[in-house]
Amino acid sequence: MRRVSVFGATGSIGVATIELLQSQGGAEAFGIVALTGGRNTDLLARQARALRAEVAVTAHEECLEDLRAALAGSGIEAAAGPAALAEAADRPADWTMSAIVGAAGLVPGFRALAHGTTLALANKESLVTAGPLLLAEAAKHGARILPVDSEHSGIFQALVGEDMAAVERIVITASGGAFRDWPMERLAQATVAEASTHPNWAMGQRITIDSASMFNKALEVIETREFFGIDPDRIEVLVHPESLVHALVGFADGALMAHLGPPDMRHAIGYALNWPARAQLPVARLDLAQIGRLSFSAPDPERYPALRLAREVMAAGGLAGAAFNAAKEAALDAFIAGRVGFTEMAAVVEDTLERLAGEGGLGIPLADLDNVVEMDRLARIRAGEVIAARSGR
Ligand code: NAD
Ligand code: MG
């Protein structure tokens, strides 16, 4: 029986993962080791009971009593906090879903690689902040990382049987987010509620806002570079409002292999769950005759400054990815809290990176996870200073 853990089980990706595990046999077919969540302890306990998990972990110590109460009589262990998340990742599993949002997902995913099995990686922040460390850890233990981001799953699928040496370019698509048709001058006034609705995908709030600002795509460009080991200048972003073509791989002979599918994460999750086989999945089938046409355009650099910042981060290398992600998370928190405007997020990230570069800390090579965690902490402090200076004005 395959032993499975799901980190971030109560989120958008996590719930879809649990649904697929259930549709493929649930507790009869999988030995569920750990399920983790945040404040939604009722949902976490229901998932753990339904799948007969060994342990359920909430990220928050103050939620432990609620989780214990919700699990009473089930025999399922309850635990809380970052150390408990890391301990849960140390329990051997054959397949681990990394679907915590943000830098908090790094340590559990990293620790799970030590089992030398499969890590299904939705947490793109892991690759952005610590890509080389993650890949080295996977190689050291003979573990496999399978991408769960839809674009990266699409690239991965387009590369089956291909030689990376023949790859000329990789194109990832972007819907353009909630504001792609808004006049530029209105963007500064965009509210949190407006930024939290995606035209095509139903996702967690943070990634939805990151889609509107294209910080999500910026992270994904870096994720592409790290995961596929391709030069940044061979990675392109294409605006594609329909979100049906997820990625394209261009080869030396001029062929362009596209991955198409409905905007439904159950495809990428199910692909990673059943790889290298393909299973019947409960996703819609595209009727291209009915869809009729697909449209594409180049992203407007003025509308989406995050894409330029991603290029600068890749050029800097080292700890710049960790700094970028942390500054982005801090700017997003500040936007959600009403402290900075929508278009100010990019300015906050840029100013933070400039300060850190001035202090000489950005290009430092990645030595270990502690470096990354320390840069994450420092970048949040610097971003906090930048935000305070701006919102004090
Ligand atoms: P979400 O906000 O819906 O869920 C996040 C999960 O992480 C929840 O289980 C939450 O309890 C947990 N969590 C939040 N903060 C935590 C912390 N500090 N410590 C431990 N656990 C914490 O997020 P999501 O949309 O499911 O995204 C999860 C990850 O997958 C992100 O990295 C995102 O970029 C990536 N991703 C998501 C989608 C999507 O369609 N939702 C697509 C591609 C990639
Ligand atoms: Mg994506």
Side-chain angles (χ1 to χ4, degrees), residues 12 101 124-125 174-180 187-220 303-306 327-346 349:
S12 170
V101 65
K124 63 194 82 183
E125 296 88 343
S175 68
F179 307 136
R180 65 174 175 236
L187 285 182
Q189 270 71 54
T191 66
V192 174
E194 288 165 334
S196 303
T197 10
H198 195 282
N200 305 327
W201 296 86
M203 308 184 285
Q205 185 193 32
R206 299 182 72 85
I207 183 174
T208 303
I209 300 175
D210 282 349
S211 295
S213 63
M214 281 249 200
F215 267 111
N216 180 51
K217 211 50 56 181
L219 296 180
E220 289 182 357
R303 185 178 289 267
Y304 302 117
K328 190 279 297 176
E329 289 192 32
L332 178 58
D333 288 336
F335 173 63
I336 293 172
R339 297 187 64 204
V340 301
F342 180 77
T343 47
E344 273 183 297
M345 286 190 284
V349 173

Coordinates of all heavy atoms in Angstrom, one line a residue, residues 12 101 124-125 174-180 187-220 303-306 327-346 349:
S12 N -6.7 24.9 -1.2 CA -7.3 24.6 -2.5 C -6.7 23.4 -3.1 O -7.4 22.5 -3.5 CB -7.1 25.9 -3.3 OG -7.4 25.7 -4.6
V101 N 1.0 27.0 1.5 CA 1.2 28.2 0.8 C 2.4 29.0 1.4 O 2.5 29.0 2.6 CB 0.0 29.1 0.6 CG1 -0.5 29.6 1.9 CG2 0.2 30.2 -0.4
K124 N 5.5 26.2 -5.0 CA 6.5 26.8 -5.9 C 7.6 27.6 -5.2 O 8.7 27.7 -5.6 CB 5.9 27.6 -7.0 CG 5.2 28.8 -6.6 CD 4.3 29.4 -7.7 CE 3.0 28.7 -7.8 NZ 2.1 29.1 -8.8
E125 N 7.1 28.1 -4.0 CA 8.0 29.0 -3.2 C 9.3 28.2 -2.8 O 10.4 28.7 -2.6 CB 7.3 29.5 -1.9 CG 6.1 30.4 -2.2 CD 4.8 29.7 -2.4 OE1 4.8 28.5 -2.7 OE2 3.8 30.4 -2.4
A174 N 0.0 32.9 -19.1 CA -0.6 33.6 -17.9 C -2.0 34.1 -18.4 O -2.1 34.6 -19.5 CB 0.3 34.8 -17.5
S175 N -2.9 34.0 -17.5 CA -4.3 34.5 -17.9 C -4.3 36.0 -18.0 O -5.1 36.6 -18.7 CB -5.3 34.1 -16.9 OG -5.1 34.8 -15.7
G176 N -3.3 36.7 -17.3 CA -3.4 38.1 -17.2 C -4.1 38.6 -15.9 O -4.0 39.8 -15.6
G177 N -4.7 37.7 -15.3 CA -5.3 38.0 -13.9 C -6.6 38.8 -14.0 O -7.1 39.1 -15.1
A178 N -7.0 39.2 -12.8 CA -8.3 39.9 -12.7 C -8.3 41.2 -13.4 O -9.4 41.7 -13.8 CB -8.6 40.1 -11.2
F179 N -7.2 41.9 -13.6 CA -7.2 43.3 -14.0 C -6.6 43.4 -15.4 O -6.2 44.5 -15.8 CB -6.4 44.2 -13.1 CG -6.9 44.0 -11.7 CD1 -6.0 44.0 -10.6 CD2 -8.2 44.0 -11.4 CE1 -6.4 43.8 -9.3 CE2 -8.7 43.9 -10.1 CZ -7.7 43.8 -9.0
R180 N -6.6 42.4 -16.2 CA -5.8 42.5 -17.5 C -6.5 43.5 -18.4 O -5.8 44.1 -19.2 CB -5.7 41.1 -18.1 CG -7.0 40.5 -18.5 CD -7.0 39.2 -19.3 NE -8.3 38.8 -19.5 CZ -8.7 37.6 -19.2 NH1 -7.9 36.7 -18.6 NH2 -10.0 37.2 -19.4
L187 N -5.6 50.7 -11.7 CA -5.0 49.6 -11.0 C -4.6 50.0 -9.5 O -4.7 49.2 -8.6 CB -3.7 49.2 -11.7 CG -3.9 48.3 -13.0 CD1 -2.5 47.9 -13.5 CD2 -4.7 47.1 -12.6
A188 N -4.1 51.3 -9.4 CA -3.7 51.7 -8.0 C -4.9 51.6 -7.0 O -4.6 51.5 -5.8 CB -3.1 53.1 -8.1
Q189 N -6.1 51.7 -7.6 CA -7.3 51.7 -6.7 C -7.9 50.3 -6.4 O -8.9 50.2 -5.7 CB -8.4 52.6 -7.2 CG -8.3 54.1 -6.8 CD -7.1 54.8 -7.4 OE1 -7.0 54.8 -8.6 NE2 -6.3 55.4 -6.5
A190 N -7.3 49.3 -7.1 CA -7.9 48.0 -7.0 C -8.0 47.5 -5.6 O -7.1 47.7 -4.8 CB -7.1 47.0 -7.8
T191 N -9.1 47.0 -5.2 CA -9.3 46.5 -3.8 C -8.9 45.1 -3.7 O -8.8 44.3 -4.6 CB -10.8 46.6 -3.4 OG1 -11.6 45.7 -4.2 CG2 -11.4 48.0 -3.6
V192 N -8.8 44.6 -2.4 CA -8.5 43.3 -2.1 C -9.6 42.3 -2.6 O -9.2 41.3 -3.2 CB -8.3 43.1 -0.6 CG1 -8.1 41.6 -0.2 CG2 -7.2 43.9 0.0
A193 N -10.8 42.7 -2.5 CA -11.9 41.8 -3.0 C -11.8 41.7 -4.5 O -12.0 40.6 -5.0 CB -13.3 42.4 -2.6
E194 N -11.5 42.8 -5.2 CA -11.4 42.7 -6.7 C -10.2 41.8 -7.1 O -10.3 41.1 -8.1 CB -11.3 44.1 -7.2 CG -12.6 44.9 -7.2 CD -12.4 46.4 -7.4 OE1 -11.3 46.9 -7.1 OE2 -13.4 47.1 -7.8
A195 N -9.2 42.0 -6.3 CA -8.0 41.2 -6.7 C -8.1 39.7 -6.3 O -7.3 38.9 -6.8 CB -6.7 41.8 -6.0
S196 N -9.1 39.4 -5.5 CA -9.2 38.0 -5.0 C -10.1 37.1 -5.9 O -10.4 36.0 -5.5 CB -9.7 38.0 -3.6 OG -8.9 38.7 -2.8
T197 N -10.5 37.7 -7.0 CA -11.4 36.8 -7.9 C -10.6 36.6 -9.2 O -10.1 37.6 -9.9 CB -12.7 37.6 -8.4 OG1 -12.6 38.9 -8.0 CG2 -13.9 36.9 -7.9
H198 N -10.4 35.3 -9.6 CA -9.7 35.0 -10.8 C -10.7 34.7 -11.9 O -11.7 34.1 -11.7 CB -8.8 33.8 -10.5 CG -7.7 33.6 -11.6 ND1 -8.0 33.1 -12.8 CD2 -6.4 33.9 -11.6 CE1 -6.9 33.1 -13.6 NE2 -5.9 33.6 -12.8
P199 N -10.3 35.2 -13.1 CA -11.3 35.0 -14.3 C -11.4 33.5 -14.6 O -12.5 33.1 -15.0 CB -10.6 35.7 -15.4 CG -9.2 36.1 -15.0 CD -9.2 36.1 -13.5
N200 N -10.4 32.6 -14.4 CA -10.5 31.2 -14.8 C -10.3 30.2 -13.8 O -11.0 29.1 -13.8 CB -9.5 31.0 -16.0 CG -9.6 31.9 -17.1 OD1 -10.7 32.4 -17.4 ND2 -8.5 32.3 -17.7
W201 N -9.4 30.4 -12.8 CA -9.0 29.4 -11.9 C -9.6 29.7 -10.5 O -9.6 30.8 -10.1 CB -7.5 29.3 -11.7 CG -6.7 28.9 -12.9 CD1 -6.3 29.7 -13.9 CD2 -6.2 27.6 -13.2 NE1 -5.5 29.0 -14.8 CE2 -5.5 27.7 -14.4 CE3 -6.4 26.3 -12.6 CZ2 -4.9 26.6 -15.0 CZ3 -5.8 25.2 -13.2 CH2 -5.0 25.4 -14.4
A202 N -10.1 28.7 -9.8 CA -10.5 28.8 -8.4 C -9.3 28.4 -7.5 O -9.0 27.2 -7.5 CB -11.7 27.9 -8.1
M203 N -8.7 29.3 -6.8 CA -7.5 29.0 -6.1 C -7.5 29.7 -4.7 O -8.5 30.4 -4.4 CB -6.3 29.5 -6.8 CG -6.2 29.1 -8.3 SD -4.7 29.6 -9.1 CE -5.0 31.4 -9.3
G204 N -6.5 29.5 -3.9 CA -6.4 30.2 -2.6 C -6.3 31.7 -2.9 O -5.9 32.1 -3.9
Q205 N -6.6 32.4 -1.8 CA -6.7 33.9 -2.0 C -5.3 34.5 -2.4 O -5.2 35.3 -3.2 CB -7.2 34.6 -0.7 CG -7.3 36.1 -0.9 CD -7.5 36.9 0.4 OE1 -6.9 36.5 1.4 NE2 -8.2 38.0 0.3
R206 N -4.2 34.0 -1.7 CA -2.9 34.6 -2.0 C -2.5 34.4 -3.4 O -2.0 35.4 -4.0 CB -1.9 34.0 -1.0 CG -2.3 34.3 0.5 CD -1.3 33.8 1.5 NE 0.0 34.5 1.5 CZ 0.2 35.6 2.2 NH1 -0.8 36.1 2.9 NH2 1.3 36.3 2.1
I207 N -2.6 33.2 -3.9 CA -2.1 33.0 -5.3 C -3.1 33.7 -6.3 O -2.6 34.1 -7.4 CB -2.0 31.5 -5.6 CG1 -1.4 31.2 -7.0 CG2 -3.3 30.7 -5.4 CD1 -1.1 29.8 -7.3
T208 N -4.3 33.9 -5.9 CA -5.2 34.6 -6.8 C -4.8 36.1 -6.9 O -4.7 36.6 -8.0 CB -6.7 34.5 -6.3 OG1 -7.0 33.1 -6.2 CG2 -7.6 35.2 -7.2
I209 N -4.4 36.7 -5.8 CA -4.0 38.1 -5.9 C -2.6 38.1 -6.6 O -2.4 39.0 -7.4 CB -3.8 38.7 -4.4 CG1 -5.2 38.7 -3.7 CG2 -3.3 40.1 -4.5 CD1 -5.1 39.1 -2.3
D210 N -1.8 37.1 -6.4 CA -0.5 37.1 -7.1 C -0.7 36.9 -8.6 O 0.2 37.2 -9.4 CB 0.4 35.9 -6.5 CG 1.1 36.2 -5.2 OD1 1.0 37.4 -4.8 OD2 1.6 35.3 -4.6
S211 N -1.8 36.3 -9.0 CA -2.1 36.2 -10.4 C -2.5 37.5 -11.0 O -2.1 37.9 -12.1 CB -3.2 35.2 -10.7 OG -2.8 33.9 -10.2
A212 N -3.2 38.3 -10.3 CA -3.6 39.7 -10.7 C -2.4 40.6 -10.9 O -2.3 41.4 -11.8 CB -4.6 40.3 -9.8
S213 N -1.4 40.4 -10.0 CA -0.2 41.3 -10.1 C 0.9 40.6 -10.9 O 1.9 41.3 -11.2 CB 0.4 41.5 -8.6 OG 0.8 40.2 -8.1
M214 N 0.7 39.4 -11.3 CA 1.7 38.6 -12.0 C 2.9 38.2 -11.2 O 3.9 37.7 -11.7 CB 2.1 39.2 -13.3 CG 1.1 39.0 -14.4 SD 1.7 37.9 -15.7 CE 0.6 38.4 -17.0
F215 N 2.8 38.4 -9.9 CA 3.9 37.9 -9.0 C 3.9 36.4 -9.1 O 4.9 35.7 -9.0 CB 3.7 38.4 -7.6 CG 4.5 39.6 -7.3 CD1 3.9 40.8 -7.1 CD2 5.9 39.6 -7.3 CE1 4.6 42.0 -6.9 CE2 6.7 40.7 -7.1 CZ 6.0 41.9 -6.9
N216 N 2.7 35.8 -9.3 CA 2.6 34.3 -9.4 C 3.4 33.9 -10.6 O 4.2 32.9 -10.6 CB 1.2 33.9 -9.5 CG 1.1 32.4 -9.7 OD1 1.6 31.6 -8.9 ND2 0.3 31.9 -10.7
K217 N 3.3 34.6 -11.7 CA 4.0 34.2 -13.0 C 5.5 34.5 -12.8 O 6.3 33.7 -13.3 CB 3.4 35.0 -14.2 CG 3.5 34.3 -15.5 CD 3.0 32.9 -15.5 CE 1.5 32.7 -15.0 NZ 1.1 31.3 -15.0
A218 N 5.8 35.6 -12.0 CA 7.2 35.8 -11.8 C 7.8 34.7 -11.0 O 8.9 34.2 -11.3 CB 7.3 37.1 -10.9
L219 N 7.1 34.2 -10.0 CA 7.6 33.0 -9.2 C 7.7 31.8 -10.2 O 8.7 31.0 -10.1 CB 6.7 32.6 -8.1 CG 6.5 33.7 -6.9 CD1 5.5 33.1 -5.9 CD2 7.8 34.0 -6.2
E220 N 6.8 31.7 -11.1 CA 6.8 30.5 -12.0 C 7.9 30.5 -13.0 O 8.4 29.5 -13.4 CB 5.4 30.4 -12.7 CG 4.3 30.0 -11.7 CD 3.0 29.8 -12.4 OE1 2.9 30.0 -13.6 OE2 2.0 29.4 -11.7
R303 N 2.5 47.1 -17.0 CA 1.4 46.6 -16.2 C 1.8 45.5 -15.3 O 1.3 45.4 -14.2 CB 0.3 46.0 -17.2 CG -1.0 45.6 -16.5 CD -2.0 45.0 -17.6 NE -2.5 46.1 -18.4 CZ -3.7 46.7 -18.1 NH1 -4.4 46.4 -17.0 NH2 -4.1 47.6 -18.9
Y304 N 2.9 44.8 -15.7 CA 3.3 43.7 -14.8 C 4.8 43.8 -14.5 O 5.7 43.0 -14.9 CB 3.1 42.4 -15.6 CG 1.6 42.1 -16.0 CD1 1.2 42.1 -17.3 CD2 0.7 42.0 -15.0 CE1 -0.1 41.8 -17.7 CE2 -0.7 41.8 -15.3 CZ -1.0 41.7 -16.7 OH -2.4 41.5 -17.0
P305 N 5.2 44.7 -13.6 CA 6.6 44.9 -13.3 C 7.2 43.7 -12.6 O 8.4 43.5 -12.6 CB 6.6 46.1 -12.3 CG 5.2 46.3 -11.9 CD 4.3 45.7 -13.0
A306 N 6.4 42.8 -12.0 CA 6.9 41.6 -11.3 C 7.7 40.8 -12.2 O 8.7 40.1 -11.8 CB 5.7 40.8 -10.7
A327 N 9.9 39.2 0.4 CA 9.4 40.6 0.2 C 8.0 40.6 -0.5 O 7.2 41.4 -0.1 CB 10.4 41.3 -0.7
K328 N 7.8 39.7 -1.4 CA 6.5 39.5 -2.0 C 5.5 39.1 -1.0 O 4.4 39.7 -1.0 CB 6.7 38.5 -3.2 CG 5.5 38.4 -4.1 CD 4.4 37.6 -3.6 CE 4.6 36.1 -3.4 NZ 3.4 35.4 -2.8
E329 N 5.8 38.2 -0.2 CA 4.8 37.8 0.8 C 4.5 38.9 1.8 O 3.3 39.1 2.2 CB 5.3 36.5 1.6 CG 5.3 35.3 0.8 CD 5.5 34.0 1.6 OE1 5.1 33.9 2.7 OE2 6.1 33.0 1.0
A330 N 5.5 39.7 2.2 CA 5.2 40.8 3.1 C 4.4 41.9 2.4 O 3.5 42.5 3.0 CB 6.6 41.4 3.6
A331 N 4.7 42.1 1.1 CA 3.9 43.1 0.4 C 2.5 42.7 0.2 O 1.6 43.5 0.3 CB 4.6 43.4 -1.0
L332 N 2.3 41.4 0.0 CA 0.9 40.9 -0.2 C 0.2 41.0 1.2 O -1.0 41.4 1.2 CB 1.1 39.4 -0.6 CG -0.2 38.6 -0.8 CD1 -1.2 39.2 -1.8 CD2 0.1 37.2 -1.3
D333 N 0.8 40.6 2.3 CA 0.2 40.8 3.6 C -0.2 42.2 3.8 O -1.3 42.5 4.3 CB 1.2 40.4 4.7 CG 1.5 38.9 4.8 OD1 0.6 38.1 4.4 OD2 2.6 38.6 5.3
A334 N 0.7 43.2 3.4 CA 0.4 44.6 3.6 C -0.8 45.0 2.7 O -1.6 45.9 3.1 CB 1.6 45.4 3.3
F335 N -0.9 44.5 1.5 CA -2.0 44.8 0.6 C -3.3 44.3 1.2 O -4.3 45.0 1.3 CB -1.8 44.2 -0.8 CG -2.9 44.4 -1.7 CD1 -3.4 45.7 -2.1 CD2 -3.6 43.3 -2.2 CE1 -4.5 45.8 -2.9 CE2 -4.7 43.4 -3.0 CZ -5.2 44.7 -3.4
I336 N -3.3 43.0 1.7 CA -4.5 42.4 2.2 C -4.9 43.2 3.5 O -6.1 43.4 3.7 CB -4.2 40.9 2.6 CG1 -4.1 40.1 1.3 CG2 -5.4 40.3 3.4 CD1 -3.6 38.7 1.4
A337 N -3.9 43.7 4.2 CA -4.2 44.5 5.5 C -4.6 45.9 5.2 O -4.9 46.7 6.1 CB -3.1 44.4 6.4
G338 N -4.6 46.3 3.9 CA -5.0 47.7 3.5 C -3.9 48.7 3.8 O -4.1 49.9 3.8
R339 N -2.6 48.2 3.9 CA -1.5 49.2 4.2 C -0.9 49.7 3.0 O -0.3 50.8 3.0 CB -0.5 48.5 5.1 CG -1.1 48.1 6.5 CD 0.0 47.6 7.4 NE 1.0 48.7 7.7 CZ 2.2 48.4 8.1 NH1 2.7 47.2 8.2 NH2 3.0 49.5 8.4
V340 N -0.9 49.0 1.9 CA -0.3 49.5 0.6 C -1.3 49.2 -0.5 O -2.2 48.3 -0.3 CB 1.0 48.9 0.3 CG1 2.1 49.1 1.3 CG2 0.9 47.4 0.0
G341 N -1.3 50.0 -1.5 CA -2.2 49.8 -2.7 C -1.7 48.6 -3.6 O -0.6 48.1 -3.4
F342 N -2.5 48.2 -4.5 CA -2.2 47.1 -5.4 C -0.9 47.3 -6.1 O 0.0 46.4 -6.1 CB -3.4 46.9 -6.3 CG -3.2 45.7 -7.3 CD1 -3.3 44.4 -6.8 CD2 -2.8 46.0 -8.6 CE1 -3.1 43.4 -7.7 CE2 -2.6 44.9 -9.5 CZ -2.8 43.6 -9.0
T343 N -0.8 48.5 -6.8 CA 0.4 48.7 -7.6 C 1.7 48.9 -6.7 O 2.8 48.8 -7.2 CB 0.3 49.8 -8.6 OG1 -0.3 50.9 -7.8 CG2 -0.7 49.5 -9.7
E344 N 1.5 49.2 -5.4 CA 2.6 49.5 -4.6 C 3.3 48.2 -4.2 O 4.5 48.2 -3.8 CB 2.1 50.2 -3.3 CG 2.1 51.7 -3.4 CD 1.7 52.2 -2.0 OE1 0.6 52.0 -1.6 OE2 2.5 53.0 -1.4
M345 N 2.7 47.1 -4.4 CA 3.3 45.8 -4.0 C 4.7 45.6 -4.7 O 5.7 45.3 -4.1 CB 2.4 44.6 -4.2 CG 1.3 44.5 -3.2 SD 0.4 42.9 -3.3 CE -0.6 43.2 -4.8
A346 N 4.6 45.9 -6.0 CA 5.9 45.7 -6.8 C 6.9 46.7 -6.3 O 8.1 46.4 -6.3 CB 5.6 45.9 -8.3
V349 N 8.5 45.5 -3.2 CA 9.5 44.4 -3.4 C 10.8 44.9 -4.0 O 11.9 44.6 -3.6 CB 8.8 43.3 -4.4 CG1 9.9 42.3 -4.8 CG2 7.6 42.6 -3.7

